Coordinates of all heavy atoms in Angstrom, one line a residue:
I42 N -31.2 58.3 34.5 CA -30.7 57.0 34.9 C -31.6 56.5 36.0 O -31.8 57.2 37.0 CB -29.2 57.0 35.3 CG1 -28.3 57.3 34.1 CG2 -28.8 55.8 36.0 CD1 -26.9 57.5 34.5
R43 N -32.0 55.2 35.9 CA -32.8 54.7 37.0 C -31.9 53.8 37.9 O -31.1 52.9 37.3 CB -34.0 53.9 36.5 CG -34.9 53.4 37.6 CD -36.2 52.9 37.0 NE -37.2 52.9 38.1 CZ -38.5 52.9 37.9 NH1 -39.0 53.0 36.7 NH2 -39.4 52.9 38.9
V44 N -31.9 54.0 39.2 CA -31.1 53.2 40.1 C -32.0 52.5 41.0 O -32.9 53.0 41.7 CB -30.2 54.0 40.8 CG1 -29.3 53.2 41.8 CG2 -29.2 54.8 39.9
L45 N -31.9 51.2 41.1 CA -32.7 50.3 41.9 C -31.7 49.4 42.8 O -30.6 49.0 42.3 CB -33.6 49.4 41.2 CG -34.6 50.0 40.2 CD1 -34.1 49.8 38.8 CD2 -36.0 49.5 40.3
A46 N -32.1 49.2 44.0 CA -31.2 48.4 44.9 C -32.1 47.4 45.7 O -33.2 47.7 46.1 CB -30.5 49.3 45.9
G47 N -31.5 46.2 46.0 CA -32.3 45.2 46.8 C -31.6 44.0 46.8 O -30.6 43.7 46.1
E48 N -32.1 43.1 47.6 CA -31.7 41.7 47.6 C -32.4 41.0 46.5 O -33.7 41.0 46.5 CB -32.0 40.9 48.9 CG -31.5 39.5 48.9 CD -32.0 38.7 50.1 OE1 -32.4 39.3 51.0 OE2 -32.0 37.4 50.0
C49 N -31.7 40.6 45.5 CA -32.4 40.2 44.2 C -31.9 38.8 43.7 O -30.8 38.4 44.0 CB -32.1 41.2 43.1 SG -32.6 42.9 43.5
D66 N -27.3 41.1 47.4 CA -27.7 42.5 47.5 C -26.9 43.2 46.3 O -25.7 43.2 46.3 CB -27.2 43.1 48.8 CG -28.1 42.7 50.0 OD1 -29.3 42.9 49.9 OD2 -27.5 42.1 50.9
V67 N -27.7 43.8 45.4 CA -27.1 44.4 44.2 C -27.7 45.8 44.0 O -28.8 46.2 44.5 CB -27.4 43.5 43.0 CG1 -26.6 42.2 43.1 CG2 -28.8 43.3 42.7
V68 N -27.1 46.5 43.1 CA -27.5 47.8 42.6 C -27.8 47.6 41.1 O -26.9 47.1 40.3 CB -26.5 48.9 42.8 CG1 -27.0 50.2 42.1 CG2 -26.4 49.2 44.3
V69 N -29.0 48.0 40.6 CA -29.3 47.8 39.2 C -29.4 49.2 38.6 O -30.1 50.0 39.1 CB -30.7 47.1 39.0 CG1 -30.9 46.8 37.6 CG2 -30.7 45.8 39.8
I70 N -28.6 49.4 37.5 CA -28.7 50.7 36.8 C -29.3 50.4 35.4 O -28.9 49.6 34.7 CB -27.2 51.2 36.7 CG1 -26.6 51.5 38.0 CG2 -27.2 52.5 35.8 CD1 -25.2 51.8 38.0
V71 N -30.3 51.2 35.1 CA -30.9 51.3 33.8 C -30.6 52.6 33.2 O -31.1 53.6 33.6 CB -32.5 51.0 33.9 CG1 -33.1 50.9 32.5 CG2 -32.8 49.7 34.7
K72 N -29.8 52.6 32.1 CA -29.3 53.8 31.5 C -30.4 54.3 30.5 O -31.3 53.6 30.1 CB -28.0 53.5 30.8 CG -26.9 53.1 31.8 CD -25.6 52.8 31.1 CE -25.0 54.0 30.4 NZ -23.6 53.7 29.8
T76 N -29.8 50.1 28.5 CA -28.8 49.2 29.0 C -29.0 48.9 30.4 O -29.2 49.8 31.2 CB -27.3 49.7 28.7 OG1 -27.1 49.8 27.4 CG2 -26.3 48.8 29.4
V77 N -29.0 47.6 30.8 CA -29.2 47.2 32.2 C -27.9 46.6 32.8 O -27.3 45.8 32.2 CB -30.3 46.1 32.3 CG1 -30.6 45.8 33.8 CG2 -31.6 46.7 31.7
L78 N -27.5 47.2 33.9 CA -26.2 46.8 34.5 C -26.6 46.4 35.9 O -27.2 47.1 36.7 CB -25.2 47.9 34.6 CG -24.8 48.6 33.3 CD1 -24.0 49.9 33.5 CD2 -24.1 47.6 32.3
V79 N -26.1 45.2 36.4 CA -26.3 44.7 37.7 C -24.9 44.6 38.4 O -24.0 43.9 38.0 CB -26.9 43.3 37.7 CG1 -27.2 42.8 39.1 CG2 -28.3 43.3 36.9
H80 N -24.8 45.4 39.5 CA -23.5 45.5 40.2 C -23.6 44.9 41.6 O -24.6 45.1 42.3 CB -23.1 47.0 40.3 CG -22.6 47.6 39.0 ND1 -21.3 47.5 38.7 CD2 -23.2 48.3 38.1 CE1 -21.1 48.2 37.5 NE2 -22.3 48.6 37.2
V97 N -37.5 46.3 27.4 CA -37.3 46.3 28.9 C -38.7 46.5 29.5 O -39.3 47.5 29.3 CB -36.3 47.5 29.3 CG1 -36.2 47.5 30.8 CG2 -35.0 47.4 28.7
R98 N -39.0 45.6 30.4 CA -40.3 45.6 31.1 C -40.0 45.8 32.6 O -39.2 45.1 33.1 CB -41.1 44.4 30.9 CG -41.6 44.3 29.4 CD -42.6 43.0 29.3 NE -43.1 42.9 28.0 CZ -42.5 42.1 27.0 NH1 -41.3 41.5 27.3 NH2 -43.0 42.1 25.8
Y99 N -40.6 46.8 33.2 CA -40.5 47.1 34.6 C -41.8 46.9 35.3 O -42.8 47.5 34.9 CB -39.9 48.5 34.8 CG -39.9 48.9 36.2 CD1 -38.9 48.5 37.0 CD2 -40.9 49.7 36.7 CE1 -38.9 49.0 38.4 CE2 -40.9 50.2 38.0 CZ -39.9 49.8 38.9 OH -39.8 50.2 40.2
T100 N -41.9 46.1 36.3 CA -43.2 45.9 37.0 C -42.9 45.9 38.5 O -41.8 45.7 39.0 CB -43.9 44.6 36.6 OG1 -42.9 43.5 36.9 CG2 -44.3 44.5 35.2
R101 N -44.0 46.2 39.3 CA -43.9 46.2 40.8 C -45.0 45.4 41.3 O -46.1 45.3 40.8 CB -43.9 47.6 41.3 CG -42.9 48.6 40.8 CD -42.9 49.9 41.7 NE -42.5 49.6 43.0 CZ -41.3 49.6 43.5 NH1 -40.3 49.9 42.6 NH2 -41.1 49.3 44.7
G105 N -41.7 44.1 45.7 CA -40.7 45.0 45.2 C -40.8 45.1 43.6 O -41.9 45.1 43.1
F106 N -39.6 45.1 43.0 CA -39.6 45.3 41.5 C -39.1 44.1 40.8 O -38.5 43.2 41.3 CB -38.6 46.5 41.3 CG -37.2 46.3 41.7 CD1 -36.3 45.6 40.9 CD2 -36.7 46.7 42.9 CE1 -35.0 45.4 41.2 CE2 -35.4 46.5 43.3 CZ -34.6 45.9 42.4
R107 N -39.4 44.1 39.5 CA -38.9 43.1 38.6 C -38.6 43.8 37.3 O -39.4 44.6 36.7 CB -40.0 42.1 38.3 CG -39.6 41.0 37.3 CD -40.7 40.0 37.0 NE -40.5 39.2 35.8 CZ -40.0 38.0 35.9 NH1 -39.8 37.4 37.1 NH2 -39.9 37.3 34.8
I108 N -37.4 43.5 36.8 CA -37.0 44.0 35.4 C -36.7 42.9 34.5 O -36.1 41.9 34.9 CB -35.6 44.8 35.6 CG1 -35.9 46.1 36.4 CG2 -35.1 45.2 34.2 CD1 -34.6 46.9 36.7
V119 N -34.2 40.5 36.6 CA -33.8 40.9 37.9 C -35.1 41.0 38.8 O -36.0 41.8 38.4 CB -33.0 42.2 38.0 CG1 -32.5 42.5 39.4 CG2 -31.9 42.1 37.0
S121 N -36.6 41.5 42.8 CA -36.2 41.7 44.2 C -37.0 40.9 45.1 O -38.2 40.7 45.0 CB -36.4 43.2 44.5 OG -37.8 43.6 44.5
T123 N -36.2 41.7 48.6 CA -36.2 42.8 49.5 C -35.7 44.0 48.8 O -34.6 44.0 48.2 CB -35.4 42.6 50.8 OG1 -35.8 41.4 51.4 CG2 -35.5 43.7 51.8
E124 N -36.6 45.0 48.7 CA -36.1 46.3 48.1 C -35.4 47.2 49.0 O -36.0 47.5 50.1 CB -37.4 46.9 47.4 CG -37.1 48.2 46.6 CD -38.3 48.8 45.9 OE1 -39.3 48.0 45.8 OE2 -38.1 49.9 45.4
H125 N -34.3 47.9 48.5 CA -33.6 48.9 49.3 C -33.9 50.3 48.8 O -33.7 51.2 49.5 CB -32.2 48.6 49.3 CG -31.8 47.2 49.8 ND1 -32.4 46.6 50.9 CD2 -30.8 46.4 49.4 CE1 -31.9 45.4 51.1 NE2 -30.9 45.2 50.3
G126 N -34.1 50.4 47.5 CA -34.3 51.8 47.0 C -34.7 51.8 45.5 O -34.4 50.8 44.8
D127 N -35.3 52.9 45.0 CA -35.7 53.0 43.6 C -35.7 54.5 43.4 O -36.5 55.3 44.0 CB -37.1 52.4 43.4 CG -37.5 52.5 42.0 OD1 -36.9 53.2 41.2 OD2 -38.5 51.9 41.6
A128 N -34.9 55.0 42.4 CA -34.8 56.5 42.2 C -34.4 56.7 40.8 O -33.8 55.9 40.1 CB -33.8 57.1 43.1
H129 N -34.8 57.9 40.3 CA -34.4 58.5 39.0 C -33.3 59.6 39.2 O -33.6 60.5 40.1 CB -35.5 59.0 38.2 CG -36.4 57.9 37.6 ND1 -37.4 57.3 38.3 CD2 -36.4 57.3 36.4 CE1 -38.0 56.4 37.6 NE2 -37.4 56.4 36.4
Y130 N -32.4 59.7 38.4 CA -31.4 60.8 38.4 C -31.2 61.3 37.0 O -31.1 60.6 36.1 CB -30.1 60.4 39.1 CG -30.2 59.8 40.4 CD1 -30.2 58.5 40.7 CD2 -30.3 60.7 41.5 CE1 -30.4 58.0 42.0 CE2 -30.5 60.3 42.8 CZ -30.4 58.9 43.0 OH -30.6 58.4 44.4

Side-chain angles (χ1 to χ4, degrees):
I42 290 178
R43 185 164 202 159
V44 180
L45 305 104
E48 181 191 340
C49 300
D66 287 304
V67 297
V68 173
V69 184
I70 298 173
V71 184
K72 299 177 67 175
T76 292
V77 180
L78 307 170
V79 182
H80 286 274
V97 178
R98 295 186 178 89
Y99 171 81
T100 55
R101 301 192 65 87
F106 63 84
R107 175 186 169 98
I108 295 174
V119 183
S121 67
T123 303
E124 183 177 344
H125 302 324
D127 182 351
H129 286 86
Y130 299 101

